[in-house]
Amino acid sequence: MTRKFFFVLLLTLLIAGRAGADIIIRDTNLYTDSLLKIKRNSESFIPYIKIIGHSWAVGAFEGYEEFFWQYGIIIDQESNLGTSLQWATNKAKEISDTNEYDAIFLLSGINDYRNSPQVIANDFAEFFNVSLSKVPVIFICNIANYKPAEEVIAIMNEWLLDIGKKYPEIQIIDLYSEIEIQKENGLEMSTDGLHPQNYDSIQDLFIYYILKYYNLLDQKIILQ
């Protein structure tokens, strides 16, 4: 792909939706063979998603490959503690141009909060441009609430929402609203307010939005 996208920082205030999402579990069989071999030999479409992100991505995806396979999704995760958007962009640059992945899923941004909104927007834009040269669609989580960064987060989440409306190749996932709902329902955060005590809601969001995008919510996997 040779497409190039340019993004302008828009400081308009837009209201993000707060609706929760139900997960519809599909029947599947686990195989001992390589998941990618199964994907190549299957008559059913099985999305192969590259995960890139910071500590939240570590908590939600590291070591959970078999869990997501139960939902018919293959993941390849690359995440680390304390990483930035620039780190994520460098990881996207390392992806080969062989159309290996169906999409990229990004969970990042909070560690950049000390930068100005314009700098953060530029870093997001670079990630978008690099990633869309590798895959046809990217899934971007907006930034969950963190009290020391509330003002910056509000600006960036409104901008991300607007970007998602303008570019269908960029699917914005409203992680902020989901985490706030989960807090109301008892989700506990770390003492500094930066990390959730569990990452179930992030896993659920990922499963729901991937299956919904590919119209796989009520389909069973048929593997050959």
Side-chain angles (χ1 to χ4, degrees):
M1 301 177 209
T2 59
R3 292 174 296 171
K4 185 73 174 177
F5 294 79
F6 298 92
F7 304 90
V8 178
L9 178 61
L10 301 175
L11 303 183
T12 54
L13 295 179
L14 303 172
I15 300 176
R18 299 179 63 86
D22 295 324
I23 302 300
I24 300 175
I25 301 176
R26 297 183 293 155
D27 295 334
T28 185
N29 293 313
L30 296 177
Y31 288 75
T32 56
D33 295 338
S34 160
L35 296 184
L36 290 179
K37 181 179 179 182
I38 293 173
K39 174 180 171 66
R40 288 191 294 269
N41 294 336
S42 175
E43 294 181 359
S44 303
F45 173 70
I46 303 172
Y48 183 29
I49 311 298
K50 177 70 174 181
I51 311 290
I52 301 176
H54 53 35
S55 55
W56 288 45
V58 175
F61 297 101
E62 188 172 77
Y64 284 97
E65 289 80 4
E66 185 172 309
F67 169 75
F68 291 108
W69 172 237
Q70 295 177 67
Y71 294 86
I73 303 169
I74 303 173
I75 67 166
D76 176 19
Q77 75 87 28
E78 187 133 23
S79 55
N80 213 331
L81 306 182
T83 55
S84 66
L85 287 166
Q86 290 184 349
W87 179 90
T89 299
N90 289 335
K91 291 303 175 183
K93 289 178 179 177
E94 295 173 3
I95 297 173
S96 68
D97 297 320
T98 58
N99 298 321
E100 181 180 14
Y101 301 105
D102 297 300
I104 294 174
F105 180 94
L106 176 70
L107 182 51
S108 187
I110 188 56
N111 295 321
D112 300 80
Y113 79 91
R114 292 184 178 89
N115 296 329
S116 71
Q118 184 66 66
V119 169
I120 299 172
N122 290 342
D123 288 344
F124 266 117
E126 184 182 8
F127 180 84
F128 298 160
N129 289 327
V130 171
S131 297
L132 289 172
S133 72
K134 308 287 186 175
V135 296
V137 61
I138 54 179
F139 296 85
I140 310 293
C141 287
N142 66 5
I143 306 172
N145 189 37
Y146 179 48
K147 193 169 183 60
E150 284 180 332
E151 183 176 351
V152 171
I153 289 173
I155 293 170
M156 296 315 306
N157 283 350
E158 301 301 343
W159 176 73
L160 286 169
L161 181 63
D162 194 70
I163 288 296
K165 290 178 178 178
K166 295 178 184 297
Y167 299 93
E169 301 90 349
I170 302 174
Q171 296 287 309
I172 303 299
I173 297 175
D174 189 8
L175 177 64
Y176 180 101
S177 294
E178 180 62 26
I179 293 298
E180 292 306 300
I181 292 172
Q182 294 299 324
K183 287 179 184 177
E184 294 174 1
N185 292 330
L187 175 65
E188 296 183 2
M189 302 294 289
S190 58
T191 54
D192 60 4
L194 187 56
H195 298 94
Q197 294 292 349
N198 69 71
Y199 294 91
D200 295 355
S201 55
I202 298 172
Q203 294 174 339
D204 288 348
L205 276 180
F206 172 78
I207 293 166
Y208 176 78
Y209 278 97
I210 296 300
L211 298 185
K212 179 181 179 183
Y213 181 83
Y214 291 110
N215 296 314
L216 297 172
L217 277 173
D218 0 345
Q219 294 185 30
K220 295 182 180 180
I221 305 174
I222 301 175
L223 299 175
Q224 302 298 326

